[in-house]
Structure formats: C-alpha cells, structure tokens
Amino acid sequence: KEDIREALQTAGQLEVPRLERYLNGLATCASVAPLLGLLGTVQGMIRCFSVIESKQGQVNPSDLAEGVANALVATFAGLVVAIPSVVAYNYLHGRVDDLVLQLEVSSSELMDALAQGRERESME
C-alpha cells in the first residue's frame, strides 16, 4: 500500500507543475502592467513640466494637453492589460487548485479500491 501511495504522490507531483506552468507568467503580466502604466504616467508628467520650464511658466492649457494625454493613455493601457490578467490568473489558479484536489481525491479512492482488492484476494 505504501508503494502505491508513493507512486501516486510522485505522479501527482509531476502533474502539478505542468498545470501551473503558465500561471507565473500571467501573474507577472498582471503585476507589471500597472507599473508600466505608471511609468508612462510619470513620463507624461515629465513632458508637462518640460513644457512649463521651456515656456518659463507662461503656458496655456493646450500646451500641456499632449503630456496629460500621454499620461492618461499610459495609465489606461496598463489597466486594460492588468485587469483581465488578474481575472484570468485568479480563475486559472482556482481551476488548478480544483484539479489538484480532484487528483488527490481520485488517488485516495484508487488506493482504497486497490487495498480492498488485495484484501479480497488474501481472503480467498
């Protein structure tokens, strides 16, 4: 029974990494996307302050529009990537957890069935 248990655990340990193989990349994408959006936002604000400096403070709102627009587009793009990535990661991570649980339950049921079969053989 112990040999069967070890074999099932080994098989399960080989399958779990295969199920999780792309989750780290998806989690990284979900984490990095807002940071890239923030980086673009900072770049847009730097552009605005460069315009203010070059015009020695005598600016119209339209002079700053390009920098503000760049900042908003970068923030938007980061969130457009991050939000679906987080949702997909959470969904897939939950599915992997469910599959691992099913694998453990099935392994336990298989061990019990094999043990019962051996007990019947030994009684005959």
Side-chain angles (χ1 to χ4, degrees):
K1 187 172 181 176
E2 193 57 38
D3 291 341
I4 294 170
R5 181 185 315 255
E6 256 184 63
L8 289 173
Q9 283 179 342
T10 301
Q13 288 171 347
L14 293 174
E15 286 302 310
V16 171
R18 196 174 71 78
L19 291 171
E20 294 177 336
R21 71 181 172 256
Y22 298 117
L23 287 181
N24 285 337
L26 188 57
T28 300
C29 183
S31 298
V32 170
L35 296 174
L36 290 174
L38 179 60
L39 181 64
T41 301
V42 170
Q43 180 188 19
M45 292 295 100
I46 289 171
R47 185 170 289 163
C48 286
F49 285 110
S50 293
V51 170
I52 292 170
E53 180 185 12
S54 69
K55 295 200 175 195
Q56 297 174 348
Q58 303 298 316
V59 294
N60 294 322
S62 62
D63 295 334
L64 304 177
E66 182 184 356
V68 172
N70 287 345
L72 292 173
V73 167
T75 302
F76 178 78
L79 293 174
V80 162
V81 172
I83 292 169
S85 297
V86 168
V87 170
Y89 173 81
N90 287 331
Y91 172 76
L92 293 172
H93 192 273
R95 289 278 296 142
V96 167
D97 287 346
D98 289 345
L99 289 171
V100 169
L101 180 62
Q102 287 177 358
L103 179 66
E104 290 171 355
V105 168
S106 297
S107 296
S108 178
E109 290 173 354
L110 178 62
M111 280 186 17
D112 291 344
L114 290 173
Q116 287 176 357
R118 285 188 180 181
E119 286 176 10
R120 287 183 192 151
E121 287 176 4
S122 64
M123 289 181 175
E124 294 174 355

